Amino acid sequence: MIKILKIILLLLFAPAVLYGTSVDEVITIETKNTVMIFTGHPGEKFLFQFYGDKVNDVSQVIRSASGMNEEAYPAFGIECSKEKALQVTHPDGNMSADLFFKSVEKIKIDDNISLTKVVLFDNAYAFQVTVNYKTYFQEDIVEIWTDILNEGTGPVTLFKFASCYIPVRSFDPWLTHFHGAWGDEFNLIEEKLERGVKVIKNRTGIRNTQCDNPSFMLSLDGKSTEENGDIIAGSLEWTGNYKISFDMDEKYKVNIISGINEDASQYILERGNVFHTPKFILTYSNKGKGLASRNIHRWAREYKIKDGTSERMILLNSWEGVYFDITEDKILKMMDDFAKLGGELFVMDDGWFGDKYPRNDGTSSLGDWIVSPQKLPNGLDPLIKRAEENGLKFGIWLEPEMICDKSELFEQHPDWIVHQPNRTTLKGRGKSEMLLDMSNPVVQDFVYHVVHDLLVKYPKIAYIKWDANHFISNYGSTFLDQDKQSHLYIEYHLGLQKTWERILASHPDIVMQASSSGGGRVTYGHLQYFHEFWTSDNTDALSRLNIQWGTSHFFPANAMASHVSASPNHQTNREIPLKFRFDVAMTGRLGMEMRPDDLTPEEQNFAKGAIETYKSIRSIVQQGDLYRIIAPNDGCGIASLMYVSPEKDRGVFFAFSLSNNLRYKLPPIKLQGLSPNMKYKIAEINNTGIGSKLSAYNEIFTGEFLMNTGIQISMNKVCQSIVVELVEVP
Ligand code: GLA
C-alpha cells in the first residue's frame, strides 16, 4: 500500500523530481577565484545552479536551495513562454527539442586550461547538443559554446542557437554596455535593468561593432564602480551579427542569452552535420568593473589576441597625412621624417592601387589590388627599400572583401557580389562600394590570393591594415542554394575566417590590424586573427579619451591603435596641444596619423622625445594591468588611469584635464594597483620642459601612501595632461 502511495506521489510530482535538486552529479567549472555549479543526472535535466565567487563546499549551494535550478541550455517547444537558447524544427515539422543530460567529460589541456564537455540528448530525436566550458584558471575566464549535432532522418532547421545561457537572480541588476556611431564608438551606458527583455544586437552583417559591441557587464547588487560590485562580464567571439538578451522576469531573475543573432539566419543543418556556435567568454568579479577588465585583458593577451604578449611597433599611418593623394615623393618624405622621430613601422593607407581605374577617391578601384602605375610608377620596391634603409618596417592598406562598381574586378566578375539579381544593388562609400560574397569558395580563394600574392611578391611587407567599409545592403547570395539564402549572414563569416586562417598559415609573421570605418571590428572574434584594431576614425584626443575609456573595458592597450594626428583635428576641427595628443595616444598602442613635417621643429623635438619615452614605458602600458581611476564623463573635469606591471615594480600614471579649473587646487588622486609595501620613486615624464605639474618630483613614497592618500598634481586648464612614472626602489 505504502509502495503504491509512493508511486502515486512520484507520478504526481514527477516534474518536480525531474527539475528538482537531484544532487547525484554535481558538476563544477572552477577557476582560481570563481565557480560555476551545475547538477545533472543521466536521463534528467542538466541544471545551472550558480556562478560567482568560489564556494568552499559546493553542496552548500544545493543544500541551501540558493541555486538557480534552471535548465542550463533550454530549448523552445516545452514551456514556450520564455526566451530560450535553442529552437529547432525537425524533419517531421515538430518544433520542439527536449534535452536531457547524457554524460560529462573533463579534459585537462594544460596546467591552466581545462575543458568540460556536457552532452545533452533528446529522447524523441537523434539530436544532440554538447555544451563546452573551457576554463582559464589563473585569469578567471570561462569560454562557453555549443556543438549542435543532427543525427536524425533528415535536415533540421535551427531557428535559434545561442552560445550560452546564464540565469542569475538579483534585486537590483545594472547593465553596462556600449553604444556608438562612426567617430563616436564605445560610449559606456550603465542602466538599471527593468522587467522585460533588453537586447543588444547587430545586423549589419560586416561592420559589427560601430554602434554596439557584443560585450556587457552585469552588476548584481546595484550600480557598480571600478572597485566595487559583483559583476558578470561577457563578450562574444564572433565576427558577424550578434544578439545578447537580458530577459528579466517579475521574480528577480535575469536570463542572459548570447550568441549569433538568429534574425534572418535560420540555418539548415544537414543530417550528420554539426553546427558550432561561437565562443562566449565570461568572467566574474567581486571587485567591480576594474577587476573584470583586468581578467579579460590578461586572458586576451595570453590566449586570444594574435601574438598578444609581443611588443607592438610604433607606427605612422599615411591616411590623415595625404589621404588618397599618394605619390612616391610624399611617401618617402613621410618615412624619412618618421624615422628621424624614432618610428618603427610605416603604413601606406588607401590610395596606392588601381591600374585602369586609379584610386583617387572612394568612387573606384576596390578589387584592383595592383600598384597604380600613375601614382607609384616605380612600384613598391623603392618604398620598401627606403623603409628598410630607415630602419622601418613597411605596411600596407587593403580592403579585400570589397569591390567598386568602377573596377576591373567588377567588369570581370559582376556575379561575385552580395546582391539580389532582380534588384539594383545599394552601393556604399563613393556610391560605388559593394561587398564580395565570402560564402563563395571561389571568392574566398580570390581574397586569399590578393594577400598571398602581394606578400609573395613583396616579402618585406610586415603589416596589413585590413579595412572593411561596407555592410550587407542587398541581402542575397547567388552562390548559396535557394533554400539556404538565410545562411548568408553566417556563411559569409565562416568563409572570411577560413580565408584569414589560410593567410595566417601561409604568412604566420604578418601583423594585421582590423579596421572597419574606424572601430567597426572590435571583437574577440576578430582578434584571434588580428594583432590590433583601429579604434576610431575620430583621432581628436579629447574624443579619444572617451572612446578609449569605453573600449578599455574589454580590450587591452596593446590592441588599441591610438594615433597622434594634426591640429586642428581633421574630424572635429579642434586644436589640442601636441603633448596632450601624445599623452592620450600613449595610453594605447602609440602611433601617428599625420605628416611629421606639419610639426614645427620644436614639436618634432617633442615628438621624438615622446616616442623615446613611450619605448621606455611600452611594456607597462602594453602588458601591464589597467586601473581606471577617474572616468572622463565623471563630471569632475579630470580623467585619469594607470598601468601597473604584473610584478608591481613599475607603473605609469596618466591624468588629463578636460575643463578649466582656474581657481581650484585639485584633490590628490589616489593611485591603484600598487603593492602597499613597496616603495616607489615617482617622476613626471614626457613633460614639455616648462615646469612640472607633479608636486613631488623624484620623491619616494610607499605604495600604501600613494593608494590611500594619493599624489598631488596641478592642472588648471583644459587639455593639460601629465604622465608619471613609478619605479620601485629598495
Ligand atoms: C576607413 C578607415 C580609415 C582609412 C580609410 C581609407 O575609413 O577607418 O582609417 O583607412 O578607410 O579609405
Side-chain angles (χ1 to χ4, degrees), residues 26 104 118 122 154 166 208 230 249 267 312 335 338 379 421 424 455 512 515 575 640 715:
V26 175
V104 57
V118 178
D122 188 319
I166 300 283
N208 70 345
D230 293 340
D249 70 10
Y267 198 91
R312 272 35 181 166
M335 285 201 286
F338 187 48
T424 311
L455 295 182
M512 292 211 290
S515 169
E575 288 188 34
S640 158
M715 293 195 297

Side-chain angles (χ1 to χ4, degrees), residues 319 324 349-350 359 397 429 465 467 469 515-518 534 537:
W319 181 239
F324 293 103
D349 205 285
D350 199 351
R359 174 84 164 169
W397 181 94
R429 193 179 184 193
K465 175 173 175 178
D467 222 327
N469 292 313
S515 169
S516 186
S517 313
W534 181 223
D537 274 346

